[in-house]
Amino acid sequence: GSPAAAAAPAAAAAASPARTEADSTCGPLEVRRDLDFHDLMPKKDDDTAGEGFRPDDWGKMSTSWRVPCMRSKDDGTLEPDSSLFDLLRRGFCDGNVREIIALCRDADNVPYTPEEIDEMMEDLNNNGHTLNLPFCFTEGAMALKNSILNQVFRGCFMGGGGRYEDDDPNFISVMDLEVGVYITRAHGAEATWHYDNNHNFTFQLFGSKDWHTVEDGNNVNVIGSRGLRDPPRNRAEQVNRTPNFSKERITRLEAGMGIYVPPGHWHRVVPVTEDPVCLSIDIRIASVTMARWFCENVFAKFMCEPSFGYIKDTGQNETLEQDVAIGWHKYRYLHPRRFPGDFLHTCLSRHVEHLKAVLSGDWRYRFCDPPVAMPFEPDLSDGMDLCASLEFLIDKLTEESTDRLAELAKEMKEGYVRKWKVALTPFVAVTKKEADDGVVLHMRHTSGLTNMDYQRYGILCPFDCETLIDRIIDRALTSDDVRAILDGYEVGRDAEGDLLTLLTWSNFVNLEPESPAARPAATRASSGVGSTGVGAKRRRG
């Protein structure tokens, strides 16, 4: 919050209605169990939902709807349900602003202090500010986030249609997902015309807002968010389209309604009424262009090679400014006619040749797929640092059947037979942390190009997995290790096999073709000595 005087108790109380345990109809466990993002989306047979979220809307047009008053039963049929919206409100502290802020984090994953909360309340109630809290961890926020991640993890989050039927082939990949809240007073500060680089789902909990959108003149493949009055930061932004705002469409988003706005679509948001505040939740699903992911792969391949990092084999500083300073200086002043070439172009040519080598042959094995987002256990997580036990994740993947993981393990074993090598993603840093009941394999993937966080996740594993984790950290895992671990593997019963299969499912481990001569030497474990492999099987159940 901005520096301000102490909060006014009366105004703060007006924005924070009191709630006691006696008023509660459900507790945290009920919110975690029953609140699901997919229940908030319009159903095919619910005529009260409004215009709905059509199959072609994803990434293409803004659309709004009323939170369904129908709910899917276990058998797939619908039944009336008037408590869904009440459950959503309950998941966000029934609109108690002070409680909500206390359960949010800043960009560094640090909770707000009481003094910061007081300042925010002052800004909200007396200064007309809008509180934008993009990292919210109320019970409702975590339940909504987890329900999406669970679908993504299992490969059935339906981005193409929004109807979320299990047989819909159009599912999307989600790499970064956060839930936030916007809190303001009636006629408070508005969000002027801008676009975001996220898929935004907004649900109005209290009060109402007018959403101004346009159907034509929007942008695709945007790489950042931008306001209409912001000067362009690069050529791509300079050539972005600006629509005819006189053809705007205004949607009054009242409590109990939702709206979807794709990346690159211009919109303006004006708070209208409060009850007792104007409060909405915002689910942001990151949009990563193929061009960006291609460049992430190329950059990671270069930085993982010692001779293409910041220091060459010879100790030569290979940063761009160093090459320009030395190369062009010699070219212009020392030997303007006789100098056959400059260091900059020599260095550039070397990089180009390496890129050709990366792209040669069957290049699809050389590029890594994006990491697969995974659901989490709130009691093991800490804000943006998500965590779940290995057993929890395997159970989620095998809720319906173990066939997918068994088939994946079979493919990995066949890859060993073909003399393929084990390839670990070059993006992710892996660390190990001891816990009372196991060891945590922590994965962190922050882009070296854009500083975007793709992954902050920990897996709590049995102590039996510690040797395997050490080999992963040391990048010493071989295809022989894979064979030893998967020999006789049973899904859900062998801890090391579960972890290895899970990491392959989530695109952390892959098997790549290679020549026999290039195969790494077998480790002690693969020759029957040590703790990795058959000797470390852990049976569950």
Side-chain angles (χ1 to χ4, degrees), residues 8-22:
S16 303
R19 176 171 59 86
T20 66
E21 286 300 319

Side-chain angles (χ1 to χ4, degrees), residues 22 116 141 164 202 215 232 266-267 286 347 354 378 443 483 509 513:
E116 290 173 322
Y164 306 100
T202 298
E215 294 186 6
W266 293 95
H267 55 284
C347 175
H354 184 66
M443 299 178 290
R483 182 199 63 173
V509 175

Side-chain angles (χ1 to χ4, degrees), residues 92-356:
F92 288 84
C93 309
D94 282 329
N96 188 309
V97 176
R98 189 176 290 275
E99 289 185 17
I100 291 174
I101 299 174
L103 293 171
C104 293
R105 303 288 181 97
D106 63 16
D108 295 320
N109 200 34
V110 177
Y112 295 105
T113 65
E115 293 75 19
E116 290 173 322
I117 295 176
D118 287 341
E119 291 176 0
M120 292 185 200
M121 298 300 297
E122 173 73 10
D123 286 341
L124 172 67
N125 294 310
N126 298 330
N127 299 331
H129 290 190
T130 293
L131 303 184
N132 176 10
L133 303 168
F135 307 108
C136 181
F137 299 96
T138 64
E139 292 293 340
M142 290 189 291
L144 293 174
K145 182 174 182 175
N146 233 352
S147 63
I148 296 176
L149 293 179
N150 187 44
Q151 291 270 334
V152 172
F153 185 51
R154 295 164 51 209
C156 54
F157 178 61
M158 307 305 153
R163 299 297 181 179
Y164 306 100
E165 303 296 330
D166 287 341
D167 58 353
D168 189 334
N170 299 313
F171 66 90
I172 65 168
S173 174
V174 174
M175 287 187 283
D176 183 41
L177 165 67
E178 295 295 345
V179 179
V181 293
Y182 285 90
I183 309 171
T184 187
R185 313 293 302 197
H187 310 294
E190 69 174 67
T192 56
W193 284 105
H194 68 285
Y195 64 73
D196 301 304
N197 65 329
N198 303 308
H199 298 272
N200 286 320
F201 289 88
T202 298
F203 295 93
Q204 193 71 28
L205 296 190
F206 295 91
S208 63
K209 293 180 179 179
D210 281 344
W211 282 71
H212 301 246
T213 57
V214 288
E215 294 186 6
D216 299 318
N218 294 302
N219 300 281
V220 296
N221 294 334
V222 295
I223 57 176
S225 302
R226 184 188 174 204
L228 180 63
R229 299 175 183 176
D230 295 339
R233 295 166 294 183
N234 48 62
R235 179 60 180 169
E237 289 187 350
Q238 192 167 31
V239 299
N240 274 349
R241 303 168 68 189
T242 302
N244 181 355
F245 293 112
S246 66
K247 297 182 179 181
E248 66 179 357
R249 173 187 178 183
I250 302 178
T251 301
R252 175 65 57 86
L253 203 69
E254 299 174 333
M257 293 183 64
I259 189 170
Y260 164 70
V261 178
H265 282 232
W266 293 95
H267 55 284
R268 171 189 171 213
V269 186
V270 182
V272 178
T273 63
E274 58 184 56
D275 178 30
V277 292
C278 186
L279 189 156
S280 60
I281 60 177
D282 178 41
I283 301 172
R284 306 181 310 282
I285 300 176
S287 174
V288 179
T289 64
M290 182 58 71
R292 169 176 285 187
W293 190 248
F294 180 89
C295 292
E296 294 277 16
N297 267 277
V298 170
F299 187 70
K301 292 293 184 182
F302 275 101
M303 296 310 296
C304 287
E305 293 288 337
S307 63
F308 288 96
Y310 290 106
I311 302 296
K312 290 179 18 177
D313 292 339
T314 59
Q316 166 73 39
N317 188 333
E318 202 177 38
T319 58
L320 180 60
E321 66 272 15
Q322 181 76 6
D323 288 312
V324 171
I326 296 177
W328 285 108
H329 175 78
K330 287 191 174 183
Y331 181 77
R332 292 180 58 189
Y333 298 107
L334 301 181
H335 304 283
R337 296 184 181 275
R338 296 186 306 242
F339 191 66
D342 60 89
F343 291 167
L344 173 63
H345 286 162
T346 300
C347 175
L348 182 60
S349 297
R350 196 169 71 88
H351 282 71
V352 170
E353 291 304 315
H354 184 66
L355 178 59
K356 290 179 180 179

Side-chain angles (χ1 to χ4, degrees), residues 37 41-42 49-59 61-65 158-164 201 259-262:
F37 169 80
M41 305 301 291
E51 71 178 68
F53 188 61
R54 297 188 299 274
D56 294 334
D57 289 343
W58 181 264
M61 64 177 296
S62 302
T63 184
S64 61
W65 63 93
M158 307 305 153
R163 299 297 181 179
Y164 306 100
F201 289 88
I259 189 170
Y260 164 70
V261 178

Side-chain angles (χ1 to χ4, degrees), residues 481-499:
D481 293 328
V482 172
R483 182 199 63 173
I485 292 171
L486 296 180
D487 184 27
Y489 167 62
E490 297 179 53
V491 176
R493 300 184 66 84
D494 299 338
E496 282 194 327
D498 283 344
L499 178 58

Side-chain angles (χ1 to χ4, degrees), residues 362-381:
D362 201 348
W363 62 269
R364 69 188 179 92
Y365 290 110
R366 300 174 182 269
F367 274 34
C368 298
D369 292 330
V372 175
M374 295 183 279
F376 60 97
E377 295 182 82
D379 294 338
L380 296 179
S381 302

